[in-house]
Amino acid sequence: MELKIMSKPEIYVAIKDEIQSLLRRKNNAVLGLATGSSPIGVYDELIKAYKEGDIDFSNVTTFNLDEYVGISEDHNQSYHYFMNEHLFKHVNLVKSKTHVPSTNKDSEDYYQNYDQKIKDHGGIDFQILGIGSNGHIAFNEPGTSFDTLTHEVTLKESTIKDNSRFFNSISEVPTKAVSMGLKSIMNAKHIVIIITGSNKAEALKRLMSKEVTTDLPASILCKHPSVTIYADKEAASLL
Ligand code: GLP
């Protein structure tokens, strides 16, 4: 794992640059996308580059990490909605090439077929990740087996609390989700993880201790051959 400490605006541009150079080499690359506040700045940079004619997404396929269970795709807190608002509707990604896991058995993105679908596309070339304050990645909470593929999960109280800021009240936050598993994520060829803010400092410190433990789901990344951690000063304050 390579650790880069920079300001948030620098992080967003650096990751946009990585994606841009990937797409220059491989215009039909497969991107693994994340939700949460951490990647929004990257999406803003990608939109800017697209509008300036510097990036073409027409041959790109995307797979999102996760989605809540129990709220509709057009609910303003669903990850379908999030992706549409923060990226998809602003660039020339082809809708049928964008995938978000689903619990709907009739959907082509049904979660039990999701890993096979990713494989059929040649795997994820570039995976963007955020991290929860408890060290979760996607919705793989502490205790999740490192062998998991895309699966249904029950969210931890701390995650429900963290994410309640986006809902009217904590009782509206879904308690279940579907999420790519830790093995699904480890199958990506290259991974970047964005860790910013003082509330992530403890998680980054534990990650950098390089102890691989299911108590810190992100710690499995230590075993991946190509991971870049982008952290800001606040997140790095305990290192
Ligand atoms: C949610 C998402 C994760 C994300 C995390 C952190 O739980 N499922 O993918 O990494 O939130 O979100 P934020 O970037 O807003 O701190």
Side-chain angles (χ1 to χ4, degrees), residues 35-38 66 79 130-132 136 138-139 159 163 165 200:
T35 53
S37 49
S38 304
D66 47 11
Y79 288 169
I131 188 169
H136 75 252
F139 268 134
T159 301
N163 291 355
R165 65 191 194 274
K200 306 284 174 73

Side-chain angles (χ1 to χ4, degrees), residues 12-22 24 46:
Y12 305 144
V13 170
I15 296 176
K16 182 270 292 175
D17 285 348
E18 281 204 48
I19 294 172
Q20 193 167 10
S21 74
L22 167 66
R24 280 199 189 115
L46 289 174

Side-chain angles (χ1 to χ4, degrees), residues 131-135 195 197-209 216 234-239:
I131 188 169
S133 59
N134 64 2
I195 309 184
S198 52
N199 62 326
K200 306 284 174 73
E202 189 61 41
L204 179 58
K205 185 180 161 198
R206 290 173 67 201
L207 181 60
M208 292 316 291
S209 79
L216 188 82
E234 288 73 19
S237 61
L238 299 177
L239 297 183

